Amino acid sequence: MEPAANYQSDVLVIGSGAAGLTTALQLADHHSVIIVSKGPLTEGSTYYAQGGIAAVFDESDSIESHVEDTLIAGAGLCERETVEFTTRNAREALQWLIDEGVGFDQVESKADSPTYHLNQEGGHSHRRILHAADATGKAVQTTLQSKVLAHPNIKVLERFNAVDLITGRRLQREPGCYGAYLWNRKLERVETAAARFVVLATGGSSKVYQYTSNPDIASGDGIAMAWRAGCSVTNMEFNQFHPTCLYHPNAQSFLLTEALRGEGAVLRRPDGSRFMDSFHEAAELAPRDVVARAIDYEMKRLGADCMYLDISHQTEAFLRHHFPTIFEKCLSLGIDMSKQPIPVVPAAHYTCGGITTNLNAETDLPRLYAVGEVAYTGLHGANRMASNSLLECLVFARAAAQHILEQSHETPVVDHLPAWDDSQVSDSDEEVVIQHNWHELRLFMWDYVGIVRTTKRLERALHRIQLLQQEIHDYYSNFKVSNNLLELRNLVQVAELIVHSALARKESRGLHYTLDYPDLDPNAKPTKLVPQHL
C-alpha cells in the first residue's frame, strides 16, 4: 500500500493571489482547504495590480456596454457566453469584496449608499473601474490574506513549489486529479498533498520574456503542469504586452497603470511630439495591443530606447492623491511627473490564453479546476481589456467554489499516494547550466516571439526550445529539483505552447501580430492544443 500523503485536505488550491484566496474563502466554511504559495503569501501578480476592477456601478453605464467593449477589445475571438456570464456576475463579486473589507475609493455623496470613484481605462466606453488609489491589487490581496490567515479551516503552505499533478494515470485509477507533488523549499524535499479537488490558480507565464511587469513567480507553472497531466490549452499565442512600464535601470518591472492615460496622460516621442493619434482614433485610450505596437514601432523607427508618458498637465496635488505609489516611485528616481514626462517601454504583462475551462472553471481532467490568469475561459479573446483580469479571478473563483460544493458528496478522497522517488538523482554541481538556459530562453522569446513576429523567427525559437528541452530533461532526470530548475522546466514547456500556437495562426489579430500574415482571417477561431497522450 502507498504511504499516507504528507498533507491531506478536501481542496488543494495551488496559488495565492486573488483567484486562489477567493476560492479558498468561498469553500472554507464547508471544507478543509490547503493553499500552496510558491513565495511569501503576498508575492503574486495580484499584489502589484494598480488599475482596478471593472464592473457596472454607474447608472449611465450598462452590462450590455461592458459586454460590447470587451468583445471589441478581444478582436473577435471572445466567447460571448463567457463575456456575458462574467459581466453579469461582476457587481455581485465586487460587492463580496466590499463586504470582506476592501476599501475602494469613494466620492462625496448625499446618497445613503457609498458612491465609488470610477476610473476609465483603454477600451472602456464608460467609467467603470473601481479602484483603491493606484494600489488596488494590494488592497485586495492584503484584505483577503487577512481573512484566509484567520480562518480555522484553511492551512497555508508558504515557499512550496508545485512540481506535478498526481493523476489517475499515475495511480492506475479512473481519470482525475488526486493531488500534487510539492517541493518544500525549507526542507528541500518533495512531499505529497492529497485532495478531493485541486484548483490551479498559479497566474500567468510572462516570465518567459526578458522584459516583464510581472513578479518573479510568474513562470507558467500551472499551465505546464496541466499540459503534462493531459489538459488542453487555448490561445497561448496571445500574450499581452503592457504599453507603459517605467524605463529606468533601477525600476525593472514597475508598471504605470492605464488609469494615467484615462486621466489624460499622452504619449510623446523624445522630441516631445505626440504619435498615438496616427495609429488609432482613440489615441492613448486605444486597446493595449495597439498602444504597445505603436510604442514598439516608434522606438524601432527612431532607434530610441523609450517613449515618454506625459501627465504634467495635472497638478502635483491631483497626482499625489490619485497615483501616490507611482508619484513616489518616480520621485525616488528623480522624475517629477507633475513637471516632466516619464520614460516608458512595453513589457510582457498578461497571458490571455491558458488551460481550457468551462463556466464552472472545470478543466479537461475531472477534479481539477483552473481559475484566474492560468485559465482560458474565453473572456479575453485576442486581447484582454484593462481591469477585466481581477474581475475574472473573482467571478470564476466563485463559480469553481460553487461547483465544488455541489460535487462534494460524489467525490471520495484518496489519501495514499506514491512517494516521490529521488533515489537515482544527486545534487547538481552545474547550476550554471540552468542560469545559462534561463537567460537564453527569455532573450530569444523576446526577440523572436515578442510584439512583432515572423514565421522565420518563430521557427528559430522552436528549434532552440527543442534543444533546451532535451538539455533540461537530462538535467531533471539526473539531479535533485530546485526552484530555478522547476521554473525553467515549466517556462520551456510554456514557450513551446506559445510558439506552436503562434505558428498555427495565419493572420494578425489582437496581440498576435506577424509580418507574414498582416491581414485578418474572417474565419478565425481560438487556437486549441491537445496533448498527444489524451
Side-chain angles (χ1 to χ4, degrees), residues 43-84:
E43 187 61 15
S45 293
T46 294
Y47 185 83
Y48 296 99
Q50 295 175 354
I53 309 175
V56 174
F57 273 72
D58 190 330
E59 290 183 2
S60 67
D61 196 4
S62 67
I63 291 174
E64 291 74 20
S65 176
H66 192 177
V67 169
E68 290 307 312
D69 289 347
T70 301
L71 292 174
I72 291 168
L77 276 193
C78 299
E79 296 183 25
R80 177 177 280 273
E81 182 184 12
T82 303
V83 176
E84 291 176 346

Side-chain angles (χ1 to χ4, degrees), residues 293-367:
R293 252 194 327 274
I295 294 172
D296 182 71
Y297 176 84
E298 289 295 315
M299 286 171 58
K300 288 176 178 173
R301 183 178 72 86
L302 298 171
D305 291 330
C306 62
M307 292 291 114
Y308 293 86
L309 185 67
D310 187 1
I311 196 170
S312 59
H313 67 283
Q314 297 284 11
T315 66
E316 179 177 335
F318 177 91
L319 296 173
R320 282 187 180 275
H321 176 70
H322 288 281
F323 306 105
T325 308
I326 295 172
F327 192 91
E328 289 301 325
K329 180 67 173 182
C330 287
L331 209 58
S332 73
L333 299 169
I335 302 167
D336 184 344
M337 58 192 284
S338 68
K339 294 183 173 63
Q340 64 194 107
I342 309 166
V344 296
V345 291
H349 181 58
Y350 192 86
T351 307
C352 288
I355 306 163
T356 314
T357 67
N358 61 17
L359 294 183
N360 296 319
E362 293 177 283
T363 70
D364 301 328
L365 192 63
R367 303 162 59 123

Side-chain angles (χ1 to χ4, degrees), residues 235-404:
N235 278 4
M236 288 298 295
E237 69 270 36
F238 297 116
N239 196 288
Q240 186 176 76
F241 292 81
H242 196 287
T244 53
C245 273
L246 180 59
Y247 177 72
H248 193 282
N250 298 327
Q252 289 186 347
S253 302
F254 189 80
L255 194 69
L256 297 170
T257 175
E258 193 130 349
L260 285 164
R261 284 178 280 136
E263 295 296 344
V266 297
L267 284 160
R268 300 188 186 277
R269 300 182 182 95
D271 65 2
S273 60
R274 291 182 64 184
F275 58 89
M276 274 310 304
D277 52 357
S278 301
F279 289 89
H280 196 279
E281 59 186 12
E284 278 79 11
L285 290 179
R288 285 180 174 175
D289 61 314
V290 176
V291 181
R293 252 194 327 274
I295 294 172
D296 182 71
Y297 176 84
E298 289 295 315
M299 286 171 58
K300 288 176 178 173
R301 183 178 72 86
L302 298 171
D305 291 330
C306 62
M307 292 291 114
Y308 293 86
L309 185 67
D310 187 1
I311 196 170
S312 59
H313 67 283
Q314 297 284 11
T315 66
E316 179 177 335
F318 177 91
L319 296 173
R320 282 187 180 275
H321 176 70
H322 288 281
F323 306 105
T325 308
I326 295 172
F327 192 91
E328 289 301 325
K329 180 67 173 182
C330 287
L331 209 58
S332 73
L333 299 169
I335 302 167
D336 184 344
M337 58 192 284
S338 68
K339 294 183 173 63
Q340 64 194 107
I342 309 166
V344 296
V345 291
H349 181 58
Y350 192 86
T351 307
C352 288
I355 306 163
T356 314
T357 67
N358 61 17
L359 294 183
N360 296 319
E362 293 177 283
T363 70
D364 301 328
L365 192 63
R367 303 162 59 123
L368 179 67
Y369 297 74
V371 179
E373 191 176 352
V374 73
Y376 167 82
T377 63
L379 175 62
H380 305 306
N383 186 19
R384 176 180 71 90
M385 189 165 69
S387 292
N388 270 353
S389 53
L390 287 176
L391 175 62
E392 183 184 38
C393 290
L394 298 171
V395 169
F396 282 90
R398 289 161 59 87
Q402 182 59 42
H403 193 259
I404 287 171

Side-chain angles (χ1 to χ4, degrees), residues 30 32 63 73 143 154 157 249 295 299 305 351 372 385 405 422 427 440 450 463-464 475 478 491-492 533:
H30 306 281
S32 60
I63 291 174
T143 300
I154 300 177
L157 301 177
I295 294 172
M299 286 171 58
D305 291 330
T351 307
M385 189 165 69
L405 290 171
D422 60 2
D427 290 315
E440 181 181 356
H463 176 66
R464 289 301 309 141
Y475 199 98
N478 289 294
L491 279 176
V492 170
H533 54 260

